[in-house]
Amino acid sequence: MSRPKPREEAHRMVSQLRAAALAALDATEEDLAGVVRLDRQIEDAVATRDSAIVDAATARDRLVSKALTGYGAAVVKAVAGSSTGAGAGGNGERGSDRVAALTAALDSAHARFREAVVAAVQSAESAVAAARLGQGAALGRVRDRGGMPGRELAEMVGMSPAEISALIRGAERAQAAGGGQGSSAAISS
């Protein structure tokens, strides 16, 4: 009766090893799916940024067009008034007022455009940095679990081994610096 015990123990150990390997495989699959999801988030952040910049440019163009149209109409009105003799004597001052108003409108349009672009870029950079840190953490877990050569992992996620290493290092630095709330500087090196 002593023989079945070692066999039962061996079966139990094999079952435990199999269960651990399957759990590691499931965790790796989940991490790799997370890398792909985060890649899509990066693409979405970049597309959102680009769309916001296009919208800001369109709004700026509308404001510039409106300012130029208003200025042109005021000049036409002033020229028509001066040719009929109306408004003589104050045209120089009104002209400078019109130029000042045009300049203010153009400056305002430029400032709004700049603010919108800066906000869009900052938002995208923040989203991309967070996603890259998440990718680095997931790839680090896959690496730590082992069982997948670096080249195979690189091919699977569509990155070079150097990119994967940089993402992992960035995530590790961010984790060491404060629990994963790192900056884009942590992933750029």
Side-chain angles (χ1 to χ4, degrees), residues 132-133 135-137 139-140 143 159-174 184-189:
R132 291 286 187 213
L133 289 173
Q135 286 181 319
L139 291 167
R143 178 202 62 194
M159 297 178 189
S160 72
E163 289 173 309
I164 290 173
S165 293
L167 288 172
I168 292 171
R169 280 192 314 272
E172 288 170 345
R173 276 194 300 261
S184 58
I187 58 173
S188 63
S189 54

Side-chain angles (χ1 to χ4, degrees), residues 86-175:
N91 283 338
E93 187 174 87
R94 280 198 217 133
S96 65
D97 289 346
R98 285 190 298 272
V99 170
L102 174 62
T103 301
L106 294 176
D107 287 346
S108 174
H110 174 72
R112 287 181 182 183
F113 172 72
R114 186 179 183 289
E115 289 170 6
V117 168
V118 167
V121 168
Q122 288 174 338
S123 176
E125 284 179 351
S126 177
V128 168
R132 291 286 187 213
L133 289 173
Q135 286 181 319
L139 291 167
R141 288 188 301 271
V142 170
R143 178 202 62 194
D144 293 345
R145 255 183 241 113
M148 185 176 294
R151 289 238 182 264
E152 184 180 329
L153 178 60
E155 287 177 23
M156 189 173 284
V157 296
M159 297 178 189
S160 72
E163 289 173 309
I164 290 173
S165 293
L167 288 172
I168 292 171
R169 280 192 314 272
E172 288 170 345
R173 276 194 300 261
Q175 183 69 30

